[in-house]
C-alpha cells in the first residue's frame, strides 16, 4: 500500500536524526525539512505541512529542553501526534445497521470513481449477507446508467435508473422508495461528478440528499489528486453531510497525500480503499491500525499504544 | 528582505547562499500552486545556476532578480518547441487520401472520452468529418458513453462491443473511415494505471499496429505529483515497446478539468516540463464547447502570484 512509502520516508528521516551525535537546531531543521518534502511529494496540502512543521517546532523548544531530557523521543512523539491528527478525525464513521434500510449516498469530483466504488461497496456487503441495491441518480454523464447497470448485473445486485427521466432528484427519490418497499437493507445512491466552482451542481447534490435522507454520505476521492484536494473536499463537506471518505485508484503510483487533506477537510475517516477496476479490488481501511503500522516500526513502537 | 539587499549590494557577484531565501519562497509558492515537488526543486536549481556568479545591478533586489529569472525559465518551458497544428495536418492527410488518426490515452477517469467528444465537435465546427472509434472495450458503459456522444453530435461511431482486442477494433475503424471518406478517426481507449504492465503493453500494441498521426495524452489538472510519473511512464512504455523503426512518443497533452482547480495550475507546468510535449487543448467544463487553448502568459502569472 502506497501511503506506507510515506511512512518509510518519515521513519528514515527520524532515524537519520537519531544517528546524529548532538541534536541541535540544524539537525532538527534538516529532519523536519525532509519530513516536509516527503509530505509535499505525497500531495499533502501545503498549508497542512507548514502548520505541522510549525507545531512541531513549537513543541520541541530545543533551548528549553533540559540536558537530561530525551530530545529524540520528544521530537518523534511530536511528529507521531501530528500525523495521527491528520489521519484520524477522532470519530468513527457510521456503520450500516441490520434490520433497517440504510441509505448511503456517494458524492465526489468528476471521474473520481464513484460509480465503480458503489458496486464494490454493495458487493462487499452482499458477500456478508446484506441485501444491497443501487440507484443511478446520475442523469448527466453519457452512458452513466449503462455503466451502473452493467456493473450491477455482473454483481447480481438490483438497480434502479432511467434512460428518459432527466431529474436526478426524482430518480433518487423513486429508487430509494422502491428499494425500501422491497426491504433492501443497503440502498446506495450514485450521483454525478461535480465540483465546487459550479454552484448549480452543489445545489443538485443538496436536493438529492434532502429527498433520500442518507444515513451516510461518502466522499470518493482519487488518490492522485494534488493541491486542489483540500478546498474541494471542504466544499463538499459544507454542502453535504459527508461522513466518510473512500480513496480510489490506490493500485496506481500516487502516494495518496491528497487523501490526508480530504480527511482533514471533511473531518471524516477513510473507510475503504479502491485498489483496482474490478469489483473485488476493495480493502477495508482502519485508521488506528494504519497509523500504527505506518509508524509502528523501530523507535515508534513505544508510542503506538498511547 | 531589506537586510539581505544591503548585505549583498557591495558584493562583486551572487553566491548560492544569497539566493537561497528567495528561492525557497519561490519553490514553496510553486508547490502551493500544485507544481510537483521534484519539478519545483529542479526549476529552482536551474534558476540558481543561471544566477550564481552574476553581478547584481546596483538597485535591484535579489527577490526580483530571482523572480524574473524564474519567469524566463517558465516561459521557456511552457512555450512549445514542437507545434501541433491539427487542422493543417488533417488537410495533409486528406490530400494523401487517408483519414487522420488521433488516439486518446491516459489513466482512469481523467476525461478521455468526454474530451474526445469535445475535439470531435471542434473538428466538425471546422468542416472536418469525424468518426469515433469505441476502443475502450473494457470499462462498463464505455461503448454506450461514446455512442451517446456520437448520437448527440450526429457523428458516426465504429463499435464492436466489449471484450474485443482494442488494437483490432481500431484497425477496422480506420479501414471503415477510409472507405467512408471520413477525414478524422478519434480513437477512445480504456483508462489504465501507468504501472500496469499488461495494460500498457496492450496500449503500445494498439499504437504500433495502427500508427496514429497523433497520440494525445489526457491528464487532469487536478493531479498532483503523480502527473509527472504518469507522463514519464506513458512515454516510456510507448518508446520501449515500439516495434517500429521510429520511436513513438506522446505528441501532445490534453489538460482536463481546468475549471476545478482555481489558481492551482501547477499540473500544466509539471506535465510539460517532464514530457516536453505541448498542451494542445485545455478542457474546462463538461459541455462540447468547453475546449480551449493554454494561455501561457496567464499560467505564468498565476504560478508566480
Ligand atoms: N485502477 C483503478 N481504477 C479505478 C478504481 N476505481 C475506479 N477506477 C476507474 O476510474 C474510472 C472512473 O471511474 P467511475 O466510477 O466512472 O468514476 P465516477 O466518479 O463515477 O465518474 P463520474 O460519474 O463521471 O463523475 C473508470 O475507468 C474506473 O474503472 C481503482 O480503485 N483503481
Ligand atoms: N469539470 C470538468 N469535468 C470534466 C472535464 N472533462 C471531463 N470531465 C468529467 O470527468 C468525468 C470522467 O470523464 P470521462 O471522459 O468518462 O473520463 P475517461 O478518461 O474517459 O474515463 P475512463 O474511460 O473510465 O478511464 C466525467 O464526469 C466528465 O464529465 C472538464 O474539463 N471539466
Ligand atoms: Mg459515475
Ligand atoms: Mg473513457
Amino acid at each position: 500500500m502506497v501511503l506506507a512509502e510515506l511512512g518509510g520516508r518519515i521513519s528514515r528521516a527520524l532515524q537519520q536524526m537519531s544517528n546524529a551525535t548532538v541534536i541541535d537546531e540544524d539537525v532538527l531543521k534538516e529532519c523536519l525539512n525532509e519530513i516536509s518534502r516527503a509530505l509535499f511529494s505525497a500531495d499533502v496540502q501545503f498549508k497542512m505541512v507548514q502548520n505541522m512543521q510549525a507545531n512541531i517546532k513549537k513543541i520541541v523548544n530545543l533551548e528549553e529542553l533540559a540536558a537530561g531530557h530525551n530530545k529524540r523521543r520528544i521530537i518523534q512523539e511530536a511528529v507521531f501526534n501530528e500525523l495521527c491528527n491528520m489521519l484520524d478525525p477522532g470519530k468513527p464513521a457510521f456503520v450500516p445497521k441490520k434490520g433497517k434500510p440504510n441509505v448511503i449516498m456517494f458524492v465526489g469530483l468528476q471521474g473520481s470513481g464513484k460509480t465503480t466504488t458503489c458496486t464494490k461497496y454493495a458487493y462487499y456487503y452482499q458477500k456478508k449477507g446484506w441485501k444491497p441495491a443501487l440507484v443511478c441518480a446520475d442523469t448527466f454523464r453519457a452512458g452513466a446508467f449503462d455503466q451502473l447497470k452493467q456493473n450491477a448485473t455482473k454483481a447480481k445486485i438490483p438497480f434502479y435508473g432511467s434512460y428518459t427521466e432527466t431529474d436526478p432528484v426524482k430518480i433518487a427519490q423513486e429508487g430509494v422508495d422502491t428499494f425500501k418497499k422491497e426491504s433492501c437493507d443497503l440502498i446506495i445512491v450514485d450521483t454525478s461528478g461535480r465540483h465546487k466552482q459550479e454552484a448549480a451542481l452543489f445545489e443538485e447534490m443538496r436536493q438529492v440528499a434532502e429527498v433520500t435522507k442518507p444515513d451516510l454520505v461518502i466522499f470518493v476521492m482519487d488518490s492522485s489528486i494534488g493541491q486542489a484536494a483540500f478546498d474541494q473536499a471542504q466544499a463538499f463537506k459544507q454542502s453535504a453531510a459527508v461522513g466518510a471518505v473512500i480513496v480510489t485508484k490506490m493500485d496506481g503510483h500516487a502516494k495518496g497525500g491528497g487523501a490526508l487533506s480530504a480527511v482533514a477537510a471533511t473531518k471524516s475517516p477513510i473507510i475503504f480503499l479502491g485498489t483496482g477496476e474490478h469489483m473485488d479490488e476493495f480493502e477495508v481501511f482502519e485508521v488506528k491500525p494504519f497509523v500504527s503500522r505506518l509508524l509502528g516500526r523501530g523507535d515508534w513502537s513505544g508510542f503506538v499504544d498511547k | 528582505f531589506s537586510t539581505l539587499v544591503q548585505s549583498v549590494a557591495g558584493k562583486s557577484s551572487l553566491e548560492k547562499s544569497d539566493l537561497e531565501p528567495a528561492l525557497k519562497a519561490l519553490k514553496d509558492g510553486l508547490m502551493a500552486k500544485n507544481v510537483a515537488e521534484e519539478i519545483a526543486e529542479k526549476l529552482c536549481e536551474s534558476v540558481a545556476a543561471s544566477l550564481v556568479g552574476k553581478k547584481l545591478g546596483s538597485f535591484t533586489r535579489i527577490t526580483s532578480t530571482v523572480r524574473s529569472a524564474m519567469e524566463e525559465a517558465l516561459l521557456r518551458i511552457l512555450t512549445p518547441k514542437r507545434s501541433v497544428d491539427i487542422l493543417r495536418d488533417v488537410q495533409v492527410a486528406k490530400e494523401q487520401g487517408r483519414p487522420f488518426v488521433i488516439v486518446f490515452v491516459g489513466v482512469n477517469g481523467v476525461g478521455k472520452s468526454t474530451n474526445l467528444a469535445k475535439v470531435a465537435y471542434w473538428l466538425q465546427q471546422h468542416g472536418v468529418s469525424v468518426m469515433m472509434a469505441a476502443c475502450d472495450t473494457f470499462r462498463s458503459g464505455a461503448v454506450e458513453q461514446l455512442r451517446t456522444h456520437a448520437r448527440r453530435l450526429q457523428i458516426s461511431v465504429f463499435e464492436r462491443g466489449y471484450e474485443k482486442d482494442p488494437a483490432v477494433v481500431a484497425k477496422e475503424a480506420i479501414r471503415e473511415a477510409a472507405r467512408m471518406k471520413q477525414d478524422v478517426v478519434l480513437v477512445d481507449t480504456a483508462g489504465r494505471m501507468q504501472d500496469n504492465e499488461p495494460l500498457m503493453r496492450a496500449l503500445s500494441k494498439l499504437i504500433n499496429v495502427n500508427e496514429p498521426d497523433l497520440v494525445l495524452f489526457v491528464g487532469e489538472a487536478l493531479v498532483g505529483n503523480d502527473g509527472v510519473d504518469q507522463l514519464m511512464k506513458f512515454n516510456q512504455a510507448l518508446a520501449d515497446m515500439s516495434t517500429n523503426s521510429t520511436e513513438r512518443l506522446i505528441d501532445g497533452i490534453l489538460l482536463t478539468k481546468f475549471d476545478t482547480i482555481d489558481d492551482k495550475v501547477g499540473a500544466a507546468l509539471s506535465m510539460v516540463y517532464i514530457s516536453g510535449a505541448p498542451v494542445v487543448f485545455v478542457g474546462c467544463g463538461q459541455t462540447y464547447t468547453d475546449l480551449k487553448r493554454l494561455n501561457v502568459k496567464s499560467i505564468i502569472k498565476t504560478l508566480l502570484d
Side-chain angles (χ1 to χ4, degrees):
Chain A
M1 130 126 222
V2 201
L3 264 174
E5 261 182 52
L6 181 58
R9 211 167 145 187
I10 291 171
S11 300
R12 274 195 299 283
L14 288 163
Q15 189 56 46
Q16 254 160 27
M17 182 189 69
S18 297
N19 294 342
T21 32
V22 232
I23 296 181
D24 56 14
E25 192 86 41
D26 283 347
V27 174
L28 175 66
K29 201 173 135 201
E30 187 39 49
C31 174
L32 289 183
N33 279 346
E34 175 55 20
I35 292 174
S36 299
R37 269 199 297 277
L39 292 169
F40 284 139
S41 59
D43 297 313
V44 179
Q45 192 213 20
F46 189 78
K47 261 192 250 146
M48 280 168 68
V49 179
Q50 284 198 316
N51 289 346
M52 171 169 170
Q53 212 170 358
N55 288 347
I56 294 174
K57 274 199 193 129
K58 227 179 293 162
I59 296 165
V60 189
N61 189 329
L62 288 164
E63 279 160 45
E64 281 178 17
L65 285 182
H69 279 136
N70 188 339
K71 292 177 195 168
R72 282 185 192 94
R73 204 181 161 78
I74 291 169
I75 295 168
Q76 289 177 340
E77 195 171 54
V79 173
F80 178 75
N81 287 339
E82 287 296 318
L83 280 172
C84 279
N85 290 343
M86 251 185 229
L87 256 170
D88 189 351
K91 60 168 199 296
F94 167 87
V95 181
K97 292 173 192 65
K98 277 254 162 119
K100 64 161 238 181
N102 299 273
V103 177
I104 317 286
M105 177 173 159
F106 279 65
V107 302
L109 287 165
Q110 290 90 349
S112 57
K114 295 173 294 300
T115 306
T116 309
T117 308
C118 277
T119 312
K120 289 180 176 181
Y121 185 86
Y123 181 70
Y124 172 87
Y125 278 100
Q126 189 187 44
K127 276 190 303 184
K128 291 180 167 260
W130 292 67
K131 231 188 119 188
L134 290 161
V135 179
C136 175
D138 179 357
T139 55
F140 179 79
R141 169 161 162 191
F145 183 38
D146 286 297
Q147 183 185 7
L148 182 132
K149 190 170 156 180
Q150 289 168 19
N151 282 342
T153 307
K154 234 177 268 170
K156 300 194 175 61
I157 292 164
F159 59 88
Y160 185 92
S162 166
Y163 285 113
T164 48
E165 175 57 59
T166 54
D167 181 5
V169 181
K170 196 157 169 234
I171 295 182
Q173 175 143 46
E174 286 171 3
V176 169
D177 289 348
T178 305
F179 290 127
K180 275 186 177 163
K181 276 188 211 110
E182 292 176 13
S183 57
C184 293
D185 50 13
L186 194 65
I187 304 169
I188 298 157
V189 182
D190 183 23
T191 63
S192 303
R194 62 196 82 236
H195 56 294
K196 73 181 175 77
Q197 288 83 354
E198 233 179 288
L201 296 181
F202 268 45
E203 177 53 29
E204 177 196 284
M205 174 170 71
R206 269 191 291 270
Q207 288 175 16
V208 172
E210 205 172 287
V211 297
T212 56
K213 297 185 182 56
D215 298 286
L216 175 64
V217 177
I218 298 179
F219 179 65
V220 178
M221 175 158 264
D222 183 325
S223 61
S224 74
I225 191 168
Q227 292 293 324
F230 187 92
D231 293 347
Q232 288 290 354
Q234 192 172 48
F236 273 87
K237 174 76 175 186
Q238 278 158 7
S239 291
V242 172
V245 177
I246 295 181
V247 184
T248 62
K249 311 183 195 175
M250 290 301 293
D251 51 321
H253 176 269
K255 297 187 179 64
L260 297 196
S261 311
V263 172
T266 61
K267 300 188 172 55
S268 308
I270 302 172
I271 54 172
F272 288 98
L273 301 176
T275 56
E277 294 194 72
H278 297 100
M279 207 153 37
D280 56 350
E281 290 172 321
F282 200 47
E283 286 174 18
V284 177
F285 183 85
E286 285 174 278
V287 179
K288 286 242 157 62
F290 176 75
V291 178
S292 307
R293 202 161 23 124
L294 185 65
L295 305 167
R297 43 178 100 187
D299 265 340
W300 292 107
S301 47
F303 304 122
V304 172
D305 288 326
K306 276 194 65 152
Chain B
F1 284 112
S2 61
T3 52
L4 249 171
V5 177
Q6 279 169 352
S7 71
V8 184
K11 279 192 188 174
S12 52
S13 58
L14 285 168
E15 282 168 33
K16 185 123 198 246
S17 57
D18 303 326
L19 301 168
E20 240 141 43
L23 281 172
K24 165 96 175 49
L26 213 48
K27 184 187 169 194
D28 285 356
L30 290 174
M31 286 192 304
K33 295 274 165 59
N34 200 36
V35 175
E37 200 261 348
E38 177 193 344
I39 306 293
E41 175 79 38
K42 280 189 188 146
L43 262 168
C44 287
E45 273 166 21
S46 76
V47 165
S50 74
L51 290 179
V52 167
K54 291 260 163 67
K55 287 204 167 55
L56 190 68
S58 21
F59 294 104
T60 12
R61 287 161 159 269
I62 288 202
T63 40
S64 56
T65 304
V66 169
R67 195 192 143 100
S68 53
M70 179 61 85
E71 210 170 310
E72 258 170 56
L74 292 176
L75 188 64
R76 208 165 46 240
I77 292 163
L78 288 169
T79 307
K81 279 158 246 11
R82 297 180 249 151
S83 71
V84 172
D85 185 341
I86 295 182
L87 293 174
R88 181 199 61 202
D89 295 349
V90 165
Q91 208 49 46
V92 172
K94 194 172 175 167
E95 279 154 21
Q96 295 169 348
R98 61 179 185 88
F100 185 84
V101 180
I102 308 179
V103 178
F104 293 73
V105 305
V107 302
N108 303 87
V110 290
K112 293 175 291 301
S113 312
T114 307
N115 287 281
L116 177 150
K118 293 182 201 171
V119 171
Y121 175 79
W122 175 79
L123 289 167
Q124 268 185 323
Q125 297 302 302
H126 287 84
V128 175
S129 63
V130 183
M131 177 187 270
M132 295 182 181
C135 298
D136 178 352
T137 59
F138 172 75
R139 204 208 71 217
S140 307
V143 174
E144 289 80 1
Q145 183 180 10
L146 220 60
R147 196 189 289 156
T148 305
H149 285 304
R151 192 186 60 233
R152 286 185 196 152
L153 294 170
Q154 299 187 303
I155 284 176
S156 52
V157 56
F158 186 90
E159 49 163 292
R160 282 288 177 271
Y162 293 93
E163 285 166 31
K164 297 282 180 330
D165 181 347
V168 175
V169 180
K171 184 114 221 157
E172 290 173 10
I174 295 166
R175 201 179 299 140
E176 175 73 3
R179 206 179 55 78
M180 289 174 55
K181 304 225 173 331
Q182 300 285 307
D183 301 332
V184 174
V185 184
L186 301 178
V187 180
D188 190 26
T189 66
R192 67 203 74 219
M193 289 295 157
Q194 69 270 29
D195 285 321
N196 189 323
E197 221 210 276
L199 294 184
M200 291 307 284
R201 198 169 281 285
L203 181 66
S204 299
K205 178 181 168 193
L206 185 149
I207 287 166
N208 285 333
V209 168
N210 293 291
E211 300 187 300
D213 298 277
L214 196 68
V215 177
L216 279 186
F217 176 85
V218 184
E220 54 176 27
L222 284 164
V223 73
N225 283 268
D226 195 46
V228 172
D229 194 67
Q230 288 176 12
L231 264 155
M232 275 192 338
K233 295 208 174 119
F234 267 79
N235 249 338
Q236 198 67 51
L238 294 193
D240 288 355
M241 300 174 194
S242 170
T243 52
N244 305 333
S245 50
T246 48
E247 191 179 81
R248 190 73 220 222
L249 292 173
I250 285 160
D251 300 303
I253 297 167
L254 198 162
L255 186 66
T256 66
K257 307 188 192 176
F258 206 72
D259 51 325
T260 69
I261 51 156
D262 297 331
D263 63 349
K264 301 190 176 53
V265 300
L269 178 69
S270 303
M271 288 183 193
V272 172
Y273 185 105
I274 205 69
S275 68
V279 174
V280 182
F281 294 109
V282 179
C284 51
Q286 302 189 85
T287 64
Y288 297 123
T289 52
D290 293 323
L291 197 64
K292 300 231 160 76
R293 301 278 185 190
L294 190 71
N295 184 336
V296 171
K297 287 229 171 65
S298 87
I299 295 274
I300 294 175
K301 188 168 177 302
T302 310
L303 283 173
L304 294 177
D305 246 4

